[in-house]
């Protein structure tokens, strides 16, 4: 059932209040939610501590209010949220808890301004959005259950191989304990994990799949993060033979090149992780388009998947430009690769763009913002720019560009 005209009018009238107090509302909402032990375990507490999750939700609520007359404009944001929820195994019964906390937070922060009409309007608006998400998530769950090797909920996987990629990056190959097949992921997707960490409790995280699609196993690649509870646990404690709870592949950052356009992959640091899955997929295709990798890292020693990407370049399957931000001298020239000192710049991109290409971008927020802005300034259509938002989508520019 569509929202009533009165509700839409009231929600739009609340936009100035959301602009002024939206973050206060979402912080209060999460405070209420996290008092519930059954709900607290669903959230990434690191994103609570650094404020990313409240910021992301505040922006999402404001975007919803601004587009309340036509929420279809938010379809990409809704799809991204639905995929993340599916990865974390969010279920319909969780939504009433969120609604109660959100409405309570609105009333608490706005005080006397939160009239009965305003509260009723937001109750209806939240219920409408919750139904949209629940329906989409159920579609994804059903698709996972129906797919060969697919599953819903948590499935036990054993670490069958651990490989040190660099000093601070490790890859883990995961094989299902039941010995059955697994659903082939779409290159660029991630796996979500439910972990019990001593001294911390239950944590849920998602990590990009770095291998090409397979019906037998997955590989994830994890870079150690400063004060990262889960990444440090993987590095310090996860060993071959350990069993982990894993949900089916999810995520909307995937390859889609219907016109077989040239491909340009632009990455920084561990942002190459989901891109590696794409590279291994497209380079195995005999009818592949031209493929260009632009990667940014500190030094050759920090370059994740260097052996693999350099081999692809040497075999003529890709061309590459590698930027070393902490190097004054360059490594010996390698076939198919141009090495550079310093960081990738907007001016360099301007001189090396391909207007016919699809661009896939992954890296730190500031890096992606710079790259996407440079491409947009050059007139690259929005539809040809694709990127992954790691963690909570708390950067307004990236969310609106997506």
């Amino acid at each position: 059932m569509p929202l009533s005209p009165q509700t839409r009018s009231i929600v739009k009238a609340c936009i100035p209040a959301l602009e002024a107090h939206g973050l206060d509302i979402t912080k209060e909402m999460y405070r209420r939610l996290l008092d519930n032990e059954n709900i607290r375990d669903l959230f990434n507490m690191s994103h609570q501590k650094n404020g990313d999750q409240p910021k992301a939700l505040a922006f999402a609520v404001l975007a919803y209010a601004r587009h309340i007359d036509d929420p279809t404009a938010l379809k990409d944001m809704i799809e991204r949220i639905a995929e993340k929820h599916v990865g974390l195994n969010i279920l319909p019964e969780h939504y009433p808890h969120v609604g109660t906390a959100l409405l309570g937070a609105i009333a608490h922060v706005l005080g006397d301004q939160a009239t009965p009409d305003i509260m009723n309007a937001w109750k209806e608006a939240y219920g409408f959005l919750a139904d949209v998400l629940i329906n989409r998530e159920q579609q994804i769950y059903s698709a996972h259950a129906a797919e060969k090797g697919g599953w819903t909920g948590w499935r036990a996987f054993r670490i069958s191989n651990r490989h040190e990629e660099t000093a601070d990056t490790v890859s883990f190959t995961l094989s299902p304990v039941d010995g059955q097949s697994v659903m082939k992921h779409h290159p660029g997707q991630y796996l979500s994990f439910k972990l019990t960490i001593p001294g911390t409790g239950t944590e849920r995280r998602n990590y990009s799949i770095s291998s090409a699609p397979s019906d037998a196993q997955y590989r994830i690649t994890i870079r150690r993060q400063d004060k990262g509870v889960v990444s440090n646990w993987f590095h310090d404690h996860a060993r071959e033979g350990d069993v982990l709870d894993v949900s089916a592949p999810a995520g909307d950052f995937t390859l889609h090149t219907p016109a077989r356009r040239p491909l340009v992959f632009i990455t920084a640091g561990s942002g190459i992780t989901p891109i590696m899955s794409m590279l291994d997929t497209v380079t195995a295709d005999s009818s592949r388009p031209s493929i260009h990798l632009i990667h940014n890292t500190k030094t050759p020693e920090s370059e994740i998947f260097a052996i693999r990407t350099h081999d692809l370049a040497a075999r003529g399957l890709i061309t590459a430009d590698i930027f070393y931000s902490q190097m004054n001298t360059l490594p010996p020239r390698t076939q198919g690769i141009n090495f550079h000192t310093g960081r990738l710049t907007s001016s360099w991109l301007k001189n090396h763009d391909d207007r016919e290409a699809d661009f896939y971008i992954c890296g730190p927020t500031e890096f992606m913002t710079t790259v996407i802005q440079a491409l947009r300034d050059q007139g690259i259509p929005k539809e040809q720019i694709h990127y992954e938002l790691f963690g909570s989508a708390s950067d307004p520019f990236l969310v609106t560009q997506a």
Side-chain angles (χ1 to χ4, degrees):
M1 180 181 297
L3 292 169
S4 68
Q6 181 182 13
T7 288
R8 294 200 303 271
S9 177
I10 292 174
V11 167
K12 286 187 290 185
C14 290
I15 289 175
L18 292 175
E19 291 171 338
H21 306 293
L23 186 56
D24 293 331
I25 291 171
T26 55
K27 285 181 177 179
E28 174 64 19
M29 188 206 82
Y30 278 118
R31 186 192 68 76
R32 293 167 180 250
L33 272 179
L34 299 179
D35 282 341
N36 185 331
E37 290 186 8
N38 295 323
I39 299 298
R40 182 170 60 238
D41 289 344
L42 301 175
F43 293 96
N44 182 335
M45 296 308 296
S46 295
H47 290 159
Q48 292 295 326
K49 292 175 183 177
N50 64 20
D52 279 354
Q53 210 153 34
K55 288 178 185 176
L57 182 60
F59 183 79
V61 172
L62 179 58
Y64 181 42
R66 287 173 172 166
H67 294 86
I68 197 71
D69 285 328
D70 183 17
T72 58
L74 303 176
K75 61 182 178 61
D76 291 341
M77 184 176 77
I78 290 171
E79 183 68 13
R80 186 168 57 250
I81 293 171
E83 289 280 353
K84 184 64 68 69
H85 283 181
V86 167
L88 296 173
N89 281 293
I90 303 297
L91 300 173
E93 55 262 34
H94 295 133
Y95 278 87
H97 296 285
V98 177
T100 298
L102 176 61
L103 293 174
I106 292 172
H108 175 81
V109 172
L110 297 187
D112 292 342
Q113 296 179 54
T115 65
D117 283 345
I118 286 177
M119 296 308 299
N120 287 333
W122 275 103
K123 181 178 180 180
E124 182 184 344
Y126 172 77
F128 177 85
L129 182 59
D131 286 343
V132 170
L133 286 167
I134 289 170
N135 290 335
R136 177 58 188 140
E137 287 157 19
Q138 290 304 118
Q139 291 174 349
I140 299 172
Y141 283 128
S142 296
H144 285 178
E147 192 162 339
K148 179 183 177 182
W151 73 97
T152 59
W154 301 104
R155 184 176 177 183
F157 278 73
R158 181 174 286 107
I159 298 176
S160 54
N161 181 264
R162 172 183 169 126
H163 175 71
E164 310 286 331
E165 301 287 352
T166 69
D168 64 355
T169 305
V170 180
S171 287
F172 300 90
T173 301
L174 308 172
S175 304
V177 170
D178 59 21
Q180 302 298 308
S181 64
V182 300
M183 61 182 281
K184 291 185 176 181
H185 70 282
H186 299 291
Q189 289 190 308
Y190 51 78
L191 296 176
S192 297
F193 298 81
K194 182 176 69 172
L195 307 162
T196 300
I197 297 179
T200 300
T202 301
E203 295 279 354
R204 302 192 188 197
R205 290 293 190 281
N206 49 264
Y207 291 104
S208 298
I209 303 169
S210 59
S211 53
S214 163
D215 61 4
Q217 60 190 22
Y218 304 107
R219 181 184 67 194
I220 60 169
T221 301
I222 301 175
R223 188 172 191 173
R224 187 190 290 273
Q225 300 295 322
D226 183 37
K227 299 180 181 179
V229 171
V230 176
S231 68
N232 279 291
W233 180 85
F234 268 102
H235 276 254
D236 296 337
H237 301 288
R239 295 293 182 268
E240 292 179 9
D242 289 349
V243 175
L244 307 173
D245 287 330
V246 184
S247 66
D252 64 336
F253 177 63
T254 57
L255 274 173
H256 44 89
T257 55
R260 305 296 294 174
R261 288 191 287 255
L263 299 175
V264 179
F265 299 104
I266 308 178
T267 61
S270 59
I272 198 171
T273 303
I275 298 302
M276 198 66 241
S277 178
M278 297 182 182
L279 280 173
D280 278 341
T281 300
V282 295
T283 54
D285 184 350
S286 60
S287 62
R288 61 187 172 275
S290 66
I291 303 166
H292 185 193
L293 171 67
I294 304 171
H295 182 56
N296 299 252
T297 187
K298 294 178 180 178
T299 65
E301 291 72 29
S302 69
E303 188 178 347
I304 305 170
F305 302 127
I307 293 175
R308 178 61 176 156
T309 54
H310 290 210
D311 176 65
L312 291 174
R315 291 159 56 198
L317 299 179
I318 68 172
T319 58
D321 283 275
I322 310 297
F323 288 79
Y324 297 117
S325 63
Q326 295 183 6
M327 291 284 290
N328 294 320
T329 58
L330 294 175
R333 178 165 177 78
T334 299
Q335 183 176 343
I337 302 179
N338 295 311
F339 295 112
H340 310 268
T341 58
R343 300 177 185 274
L344 172 67
T345 63
S346 299
S347 59
W348 188 93
L349 270 178
K350 183 177 180 180
N351 293 324
H352 294 78
D353 75 306
D354 184 340
R355 295 182 181 275
E356 302 303 316
D358 268 311
F359 294 82
Y360 290 84
I361 306 157
C362 192
T365 296
E366 183 178 354
F367 167 82
M368 290 200 298
T369 299
T370 299
V371 171
I372 293 166
Q373 186 64 67
L375 295 176
R376 298 291 286 137
D377 288 347
Q378 293 166 42
I380 303 298
K382 185 176 180 179
E383 295 72 24
Q384 292 172 221
I385 302 174
H386 321 279
Y387 54 95
E388 175 67 300
L389 290 168
F390 284 153
S392 295
S394 58
D395 184 273
F397 173 81
L398 294 181
V399 174
T400 53
Q401 290 301 303

